[in-house]
């Protein structure tokens, strides 16, 4: 996967218009090749294997690589939208590009706007590349006819999911259903279901296998997001790569927050409202929120939700008639998604 | 063209995830169907006609419509990057979305960030759609093999051109060559050359016609941008749809500014430096800049540059052996691009 991506980026840089674009390439290489889970490519290949792994390997690898390029686009624009400082334990793309701008002698007064604008462009570039990578994957006509509509859906779903996320940001409510809906679009469908479907579509896997992937993906994906939400509050920043409590600072309407808000007594509610979406909360402030998540039982509730979804997904794997190695990969994925600490 | 676009957008809205996305669709419809030049689609069709207009009309119309969707993506992200208030005489997408957010009860404190984020997403959506429109245009395999690489180049060129623009923003210099280079990438290639090439490629027009299109497009495109720069300074806002002097407020390194800076005496230079890139210039400040552009002869120089490029393009049309109606369309385009007042 890394080799396919590296070769593609090198080729793009050779045809770029000049040395001025160096900061774009330096930034995207750091992000694209930083230790990540490569979760979507892995699922795409698993879907392809589940359907018998027909055709040649370079093709499915390029389809999977297109997903990783698309995901990198999504991360970059997401960090711009949330104005996040860091990603995978490193400065986010817009921060990196703004620093590079100042280093190159750009006026400090413009540095933030420049970084934001350059990151929007870098995201655009990666979105265009993911499409170029897919078009060059060597899919034959019928396969392309199966794959492209899925990709179109996936891309639109991500944008709509991000928009729902944006709409709910900064407004704390006890609406657990709404928070779960965002998780379903942003993570369950985009991160798990669609990558599996793509692999199945490449291999012409048919409707039954598609349905199985959906039945498996939705609980795993929701559990993945719920674990992510808890890690953002109780995880070790050294492992997660992001500071504790950023979701609160950014005012993200997550399931844990909705549960806590719904269950909290008036005084704690007022506190959650006050802290929610205020960028400069201290470690002590975050600790208070964590205490509320404990005392209201919200944290425990989320753990229960994760466990039930994990068990549902495992039961589906159990009942499914999948190649041994694929079933094992997906089983490991369920545990990684639900029990990870990073 | 409008019918093709309207049908496509309606279909997308039917498959969108719910009523929450209404602001996205309202904003993009206003932008997509506001009176615009439809310049790129027109050139794409002209290139196709120049090559004999083979194949069916719906296909070339969809390819041309994909260009218009792509252009709308570019405008939306461009306005976010420049933080422009207006576009085509209406509020820019991020302003519209931020206003809609407040109307819907969103916290004012988040309105600007929300508008920016939502506009980034809307641009992403349009970029994805332009690709979907192209894939569904009904190109047969060989045509697609000719068209896609051109589209990949065009999209990357636009991003690189925007990045060059961003790098040069806020730094006034007398470097006319650098300003022209940005104009070449941002406008000449993207707005004129590539659309023509796409039409020619759909029709399998061959290398000679491609070269002719380039020879014609570069001078026209540069003249188009130079006229745009002058209109931004001396045009009638009621016709151009943007306030006078925005390029100066945004600190755009345009050719007129570079010429003026190069030729200005020390006192005027200091003034240009002071005004360049400061967002809250008054009408009087802008008037001072305009006077400097007159007294240094910069405005006159730009008019001369436009005229020589216009004549070069007309001479190429004269010498070319093109279908009468195509030659006429392109001739009108030359005059529109160079002598327009809107």
């Amino acid at each position: 996967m890394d080799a396919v991506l590296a070769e593609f980026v090198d080729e793009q840089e050779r045809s770029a218009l000049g040395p001025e674009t160096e900061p774009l390439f330096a930034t995207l290489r750091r992000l694209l090749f930083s230790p990540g889970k490569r979760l979507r490519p892995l699922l795409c290949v698993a879907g392809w294997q589940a359907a018998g792994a027909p055709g040649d390997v370079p093709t499915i690898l390029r389809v999977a690589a297109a997903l990783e390029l698309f995901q990198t686009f999504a991360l970059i624009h997401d960090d711009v939208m949330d104005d996040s400082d860091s990603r995978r334990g490193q400065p986010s793309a817009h921060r990196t590009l703004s620093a590079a701008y100042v280093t190159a002698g750009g006026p400090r007064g413009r540095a933030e706007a420049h970084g934001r604008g350059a990151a929007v462009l870098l995201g655009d570039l990666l979105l265009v590349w993911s499409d170029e990578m897919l078009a060059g994957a060597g899919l034959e006509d019928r396969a392309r006819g199966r794959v492209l509509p899925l990709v179109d859906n996936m891309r639109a779903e991500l944008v709509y999911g991000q928009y729902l996320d944006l709409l709910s940001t900064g407004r704390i409510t006890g609406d657990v259903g709404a928070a779960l809906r965002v998780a379903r679009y942003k993570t369950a469908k985009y991160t798990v279901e669609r990558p599996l479907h793509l692999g199945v579509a490449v291999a012409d896997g048919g409707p039954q296998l598609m349905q199985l992937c959906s039945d498996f993906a939705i609980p795993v994906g929701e559990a993945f997001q719920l674990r992510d939400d808890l890690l953002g509050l109780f995880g070790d920043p050294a492992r997660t790569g992001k500071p504790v409590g950023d979701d609160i600072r950014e005012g993200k309407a997550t399931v844990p927050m909705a549960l806590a808000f719904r269950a909290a007594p008036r005084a704690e509610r007022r506190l959650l409202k006050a802290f929610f979406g205020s960028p400069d909360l201290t470690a002590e402030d975050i600790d208070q929120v964590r205490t509320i998540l404990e005392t209201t039982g919200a944290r425990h509730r989320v753990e229960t939700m994760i466990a039930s979804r994990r068990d549902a997904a495992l039961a589906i794997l159990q009942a499914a008639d999948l190649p041994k190695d694929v079933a094992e990969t997906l089983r490991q994925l369920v545990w990684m998604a639900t029990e990870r600490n990073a």
Side-chain angles (χ1 to χ4, degrees), chain A:
Chain A
M1 182 54 49
D2 282 25
V4 173
L5 288 167
E7 193 190 322
F8 181 85
V9 173
D10 293 348
E11 198 188 311
Q12 291 292 343
E13 189 165 26
R14 276 191 293 277
S15 63
L17 57 73
E20 298 95 331
T21 59
E22 196 278 326
L24 290 180
F25 282 88
T27 306
L28 85 87
R29 281 202 177 91
R30 254 185 51 186
L31 201 54
L32 193 56
F33 299 111
S34 67
K37 302 181 193 67
R38 298 271 192 249
L39 188 55
R40 293 154 195 86
L42 183 136
L43 284 163
C44 179
V45 172
W48 174 72
Q49 290 172 315
D56 63 346
V57 174
T59 294
I60 189 65
L61 279 183
R62 289 206 198 88
V63 174
L67 278 177
E68 194 66 15
L69 289 170
F70 184 82
Q71 165 63 5
T72 311
F73 137 77
L75 294 179
I76 291 171
H77 279 189
D78 190 48
D79 287 342
V80 169
M81 282 181 270
D82 298 339
D83 196 23
S84 310
D85 295 328
S86 62
R87 170 67 66 179
R88 294 177 179 168
Q90 306 178 23
S92 52
H94 58 285
R95 292 274 184 272
T96 308
L97 287 160
S98 132
Y101 178 71
V102 172
T103 310
R108 282 187 185 285
R110 290 199 39 80
E112 192 182 340
H114 175 88
R116 202 162 48 217
V120 169
L121 287 173
L122 181 55
D124 295 341
L125 194 59
L126 279 152
L127 176 49
V128 162
W129 285 354
S130 73
D131 175 45
E132 188 175 340
M133 174 75 88
L134 185 65
L139 290 166
E140 47 82 46
D141 283 13
R142 271 186 282 81
R144 200 177 45 245
R146 293 188 302 265
V147 167
L148 288 191
L150 278 176
V151 172
D152 294 335
N153 277 331
M154 177 193 77
R155 298 190 297 191
E157 272 168 9
L158 173 77
V159 173
Y160 294 138
Q162 290 282 66
Y163 184 64
L164 284 190
D165 192 14
L166 208 56
L167 283 174
S168 63
T169 297
R171 294 191 251 190
I172 190 165
T173 74
D175 189 341
V176 178
L180 256 183
R181 181 152 172 260
V182 173
R184 179 161 303 172
Y185 272 101
K186 258 186 63 183
T187 310
K189 285 178 139 318
Y190 164 64
T191 302
V192 186
E193 184 188 29
R194 291 308 184 183
L196 282 168
H197 281 175
L198 276 182
V200 173
V202 169
D204 199 7
Q208 259 182 315
L209 184 54
M210 287 284 186
Q211 187 56 53
L212 173 69
C213 290
S214 300
D215 298 341
F216 169 79
I218 300 305
V220 176
E222 288 183 10
F224 184 90
Q225 183 60 55
L226 293 170
R227 175 58 62 204
D228 215 56
D229 297 339
L230 287 184
L231 283 171
L233 288 156
F234 300 97
D236 171 4
R239 292 168 166 282
T240 62
K242 44 186 174 182
V244 173
D246 262 15
D247 285 350
I248 304 169
R249 294 190 181 87
E250 291 166 10
K252 289 281 168 206
T254 62
V255 169
M257 287 304 285
L259 284 167
F261 189 74
R262 202 168 61 178
R266 196 194 269 103
E268 282 78 1
R269 257 184 188 236
R270 236 187 273 102
L271 197 89
L272 289 178
K273 242 200 172 93
F275 285 174
F276 197 67
S278 50
D280 29 53
L281 294 178
T282 65
E284 291 65 31
D285 300 332
I286 302 295
D287 269 338
Q288 290 196 56
V289 176
R290 298 208 282 193
T291 310
I292 296 172
L293 280 148
E294 301 277 11
T295 53
T296 53
R299 180 184 188 176
H300 178 73
R301 263 298 297 287
V302 176
E303 287 290 356
T304 319
M305 291 172 76
I306 293 173
S308 68
R309 282 162 174 75
R310 178 196 64 215
D311 297 344
L314 290 172
I316 286 164
L317 281 185
Q318 205 61 43
D321 169 35
L322 291 169
K324 269 204 167 28
D325 53 343
V326 179
E328 186 45 37
T329 306
L330 295 180
R331 199 170 291 107
Q332 284 172 20
L333 173 83
V334 174
W335 289 104
M336 184 282 284
T338 54
E339 307 307 319
R340 69 201 155 93
N341 56 19

